Amino acid sequence: MNEGANRNRKTALIFSGVAVGMVAMSFAAVPAYRAFCQVTGWGGTTQRAEAGAQEVLERPVTVRFDAAVSDGLSWRFKPEQVSQDLHIGETALAFFEAENLSSKPVTGRASFNVTPAKAGIYFKKIECFCFTEQTLQPGETVSMPVTYFVDPAIAKDTNLDDVQTITLAYTFFPWEDAETGSGGDSAAE
């Protein structure tokens, strides 16, 4: 083989390796970003906790609730309470109501965040409907709980001294079941 053919082959291998690497990184980006957000609270991502806080502070906080449904999901979804007043570290229970407006079973899954985003690392959920997908039968209405608290460590973060209200927001999206292919209801009913 001549020198030019070897150089072309080497260049092709390098570019192929770069392309494969870029594809691999694009698939790894979503899980890596999700893990980063869960660890740091980036973008208002809340945290999971096994149990409630060990102490309750005198500092009050108001938690407001927001709910939305993405296109393609024939549900009505709303918080059952507008807000709750509690103390930092106090465990609270809130409920959200979902109704399947379609004529067939529909599965959805909720994404969530808090605002201000800087409070995300201190907002801890013990139990939540958002941890798994939810399937509602035709016309079914359910009340879904979330058990949460605001971590007392927030009081040591001077960047959060101004936080008196935290909004917990959920958006339900269609969830495709890998086995049946069912889930969201994008067809008009």
Side-chain angles (χ1 to χ4, degrees):
M1 256 190 210
N2 67 27
E3 179 87 17
N6 283 338
R7 199 172 331 153
N8 288 343
R9 183 171 297 173
K10 185 176 180 181
T11 302
L13 284 173
I14 290 171
F15 281 121
S16 295
V18 168
V20 168
M22 290 174 69
V23 169
M25 287 191 316
S26 70
F27 281 105
V30 172
Y33 179 73
R34 184 177 297 129
F36 172 78
C37 290
Q38 289 174 341
V39 169
T40 64
W42 181 266
T45 302
T46 63
Q47 307 296 300
R48 288 178 81 162
E50 296 296 320
Q54 298 299 311
E55 72 175 314
V56 176
L57 306 179
E58 289 298 316
R59 179 176 165 184
V61 66
T62 298
V63 177
R64 296 183 42 79
F65 303 99
D66 188 27
V69 177
S70 75
D71 291 339
L73 187 64
S74 297
W75 283 13
R76 182 181 54 77
F77 178 54
K78 66 178 186 170
E80 292 185 18
Q81 60 287 300
V82 174
S83 65
Q84 292 178 329
D85 295 321
L86 56 141
H87 291 96
I88 301 291
E90 180 181 353
T91 300
L93 177 64
F95 291 91
F96 287 76
E97 182 179 277
E99 179 183 9
N100 180 355
L101 302 174
S102 77
S103 61
K104 63 182 181 179
V106 177
T107 301
R109 184 142 191 191
S111 67
F112 50 85
N113 69 352
V114 299
T115 51
K118 64 184 180 179
I121 196 166
Y122 299 105
F123 197 95
K124 311 281 185 170
K125 290 191 274 186
I126 300 168
E127 292 290 333
C128 184
F129 59 88
C130 61
F131 293 162
T132 61
E133 63 274 359
Q134 304 295 318
T135 301
L136 276 64
Q137 298 304 312
E140 181 180 15
T141 300
V142 296
S143 182
M144 300 179 293
V146 57
T147 306
Y148 70 93
F149 65 95
V150 178
D151 191 329
I154 196 172
K156 295 176 185 163
D157 188 338
T158 56
N159 187 40
L160 289 136
D161 286 346
D162 62 330
V163 174
Q164 297 174 4
T165 302
I166 298 173
T167 300
L168 174 61
Y170 290 97
T171 301
F172 256 104
F173 292 91
W175 183 260
E176 294 297 325
D177 186 323
E179 290 180 21
T180 66
S182 65
D185 179 36
S186 58
E189 292 294 320

